[in-house]
């Protein structure tokens, strides 16, 4: 037996120690792999609410949009009859045919310079004749009945 012990060298002892250590380390990692992972926290269901509806548009905004469309329709009308029909529909939105239309030609430091004041009837006839809508609505005023009482335009 002494021969057997003596034939085992120090290198073999160290090598066997290394193998045993690795084997024990491998067992530990297998145990960790076999152990179930902790259950993930329950996910809370996210309830998405519908986005809030856009704020209601004011009567002035609705009227301005409709007037812009009517102005473009009058300027682009293919015939005099269709332009006249669009003019009559547009005039129904105003308190009367003499409603003032102011066209801003220049503004500086809050002071506005206007072109010669006109009426809505004359302005609509101008659109029909020139077939060009060069202005946009910058301000609109409504009366108590929901009809346009004053209109301010600006160059596009």
């Amino acid at each position: 037996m002494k021969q057997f012990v003596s034939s085992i060298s120090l290198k073999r002892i160290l090598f066997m120690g290394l193998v045993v250590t690795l084997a024990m380390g491998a067992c530990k990692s297998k145990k960790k792999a076999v152990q179930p992972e902790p259950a993930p926290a329950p996910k809370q269901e996210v309830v998405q609410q519908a986005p809030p509806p856009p704020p209601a548009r004011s009567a002035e905004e609705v009227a301005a949009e409709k007037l812009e469309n009517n102005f473009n329709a009058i300027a682009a009308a293919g015939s005099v009859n269709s332009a006249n029909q669009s003019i009559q529909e547009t005039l129904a939105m105003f308190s009367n045919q003499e409603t003032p239309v102011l066209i801003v030609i220049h503004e500086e430091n809050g002071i506005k310079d206007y072109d010669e004041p006109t009426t809505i009837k004359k302005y609509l006839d101008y659109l029909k004749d020139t077939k060009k809508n060069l202005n946009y609505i910058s301000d609109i005023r409504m009366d108590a009945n929901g009809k346009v009482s004053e209109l301010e335009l600006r160059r596009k």
Side-chain angles (χ1 to χ4, degrees):
M1 199 139 195
K2 281 188 178 185
Q3 275 184 339
F4 181 73
V5 174
S6 63
S7 66
I8 300 177
S9 68
L10 183 60
K11 288 182 181 178
R12 286 189 179 183
I13 292 175
L14 289 175
F15 178 74
M16 290 176 70
L18 179 65
V19 170
V20 170
T21 305
L22 288 175
M24 292 176 69
C27 291
K28 287 183 182 179
S29 62
K30 283 184 183 176
K31 288 181 183 178
K32 286 182 182 177
V34 173
Q35 291 177 350
E37 293 183 17
K43 294 181 181 177
Q44 293 181 352
E45 198 171 302
V46 177
V47 178
Q48 290 184 345
Q49 296 178 351
R57 297 184 333 174
S58 67
E60 287 86 3
E61 292 172 330
V62 173
E65 183 178 333
K66 188 171 182 182
L67 281 174
E68 286 285 347
N69 291 337
N70 288 0
F71 291 167
N72 290 329
I74 292 168
S79 69
V80 174
N81 288 335
S82 64
N84 286 336
Q85 183 179 1
S86 296
I87 288 173
Q88 291 306 314
E89 290 173 12
T90 305
L91 286 174
M93 297 176 64
F94 288 84
S95 55
N96 62 49
Q97 291 186 4
E98 301 302 313
T99 300
V101 176
L102 305 170
I103 302 172
V104 177
I105 55 174
H106 181 72
E107 182 175 4
E108 189 173 321
N109 298 328
I111 299 171
K112 297 176 183 176
D113 290 329
Y114 296 98
D115 196 0
E116 182 180 344
T118 188
T119 64
I120 188 59
K121 176 69 173 152
K122 290 179 184 176
Y123 182 71
L124 295 175
D125 286 336
Y126 168 80
L127 288 177
K128 177 177 75 171
D129 294 340
T130 62
K131 297 195 176 288
K132 293 179 184 175
N133 183 15
L134 301 176
N135 301 310
Y136 68 93
I137 298 171
S138 66
D139 190 24
I140 187 169
R141 297 208 178 100
M142 310 284 279
D143 64 10
N145 298 327
K147 303 260 183 175
V148 178
S149 62
E150 187 177 316
L151 192 61
E152 183 178 279
L153 305 173
R154 289 181 186 261
R155 289 278 180 193
K156 287 185 181 177

